[in-house]
Amino acid sequence: MNGKISVRIDGPIDNAPPLFLMFHGYGNDESEMVRIIDAVYAGTSEQPDYLSFRGTYSRPYMGGHYWYPDGCGVDERQRECTAVGEALTQLIDAPVFRNRRKVLIGFSQGGYLSYRLVKSHPYLFDAAILLSPSFQGEIGARLPDSYTRFFLAYGSLDSTIPLQDQINARKVLESSRDFVHHEYPSMTHAICDKEIADIRDFINNL
């Protein structure tokens, strides 16, 4: 896992708040997820602890980064996610992170990556917040036994993620022990205020 990491770790080690591990969408960078988590905590006295990662590959000419090539096959997509997972698990095995509650949060490609991380490491993450994730190639998939809690959200007008992929994401995550799903009217492939509020409620109930 190459590239830049945006870090904020201010909480105490004992009784620490969740550590957020954040993954942006295609064509963006680590600041995308920082803006989202800052919005979730806006108006509170808390400062979230996070590692926000920049995608493995940079986009030539147009800027931004990605975790796997747009339009790539299922095998390549899963292989790239596995490589990120191997690097991530080595990083968070450090003593400063080892006993923290770990919450994945990702948008679009980053949402799919977060799902694959739980699938490969079912006992490592306490929760996964999947915002408009791509889910191509996961038809008929099931999650392994895991205590990870899932939050899944899409906009009702999201044409970037095919409807069948959205339906399949719900079906796959319904096999988990703890799953909530939200759909936001009139929202496209984006983030809305109600979604931010729902994420805040989900985190407060972890």
Side-chain angles (χ1 to χ4, degrees):
M1 183 169 54
N2 300 316
K4 186 175 179 181
I5 306 174
S6 183
V7 180
R8 181 162 66 207
I9 306 289
D10 294 323
I13 298 300
D14 296 328
N15 300 316
L19 172 66
F20 295 97
L21 306 167
M22 309 195 299
F23 304 92
H24 63 78
Y26 179 82
N28 219 303
D29 61 28
E30 70 284 353
S31 63
E32 175 181 60
M33 302 311 299
V34 174
R35 291 192 298 271
I36 291 172
I37 201 67
D38 280 348
V40 170
Y41 279 83
T44 75
S45 59
E46 299 177 71
Q47 288 288 318
D49 288 354
Y50 61 70
L51 302 175
S52 187
F53 299 91
R54 177 178 293 183
T56 312
Y57 302 101
S58 59
R59 265 198 325 175
Y61 314 120
M62 298 181 68
H65 302 79
Y66 57 90
W67 300 103
Y68 50 82
D70 191 31
C72 72
V74 174
D75 289 345
E76 183 176 0
R77 184 180 304 116
Q78 294 182 357
R79 187 165 56 248
E80 293 291 348
C81 292
T82 297
V84 172
E86 290 173 352
L88 178 68
T89 53
Q90 292 180 44
L91 173 64
I92 62 177
D93 191 48
V96 68
F97 302 133
R98 195 170 296 157
N99 296 320
R100 298 292 298 270
R101 288 180 296 153
K102 299 172 181 68
V103 179
L104 298 163
I105 176 168
F107 178 76
S108 197
Q109 274 197 357
Y112 176 75
L113 171 58
S114 297
Y115 153 75
R116 292 297 307 183
L117 291 173
V118 176
K119 195 170 175 69
S120 297
H121 307 277
Y123 300 109
L124 186 56
F125 306 105
D126 295 274
I129 300 171
L130 313 183
L131 309 177
S132 307
S134 57
F135 236 76
Q136 188 177 2
E138 298 295 323
I139 294 175
R142 284 186 62 83
L143 285 164
D145 186 48
S146 170
Y147 289 99
T148 303
R149 301 178 63 185
F150 284 94
F151 177 107
L152 175 68
Y154 288 106
S156 65
L157 300 182
D158 188 344
S159 59
T160 300
I161 308 301
L163 179 58
Q164 187 56 53
D165 285 352
Q166 298 181 36
I167 293 170
N168 188 52
R170 293 197 295 271
K171 289 181 178 179
V172 171
L173 297 180
E174 282 170 356
S175 68
S176 69
R177 291 174 182 260
D178 195 328
F179 164 62
V180 295
H181 169 248
H182 296 273
E183 182 175 277
Y184 300 98
S186 303
M187 189 177 84
T188 58
H189 195 60
I191 302 289
C192 67
D193 291 341
K194 180 63 169 64
E195 187 172 12
I196 292 294
D198 288 338
I199 295 169
R200 184 182 301 120
D201 289 342
F202 179 79
I203 291 169
N204 287 340
N205 287 296
L206 289 177

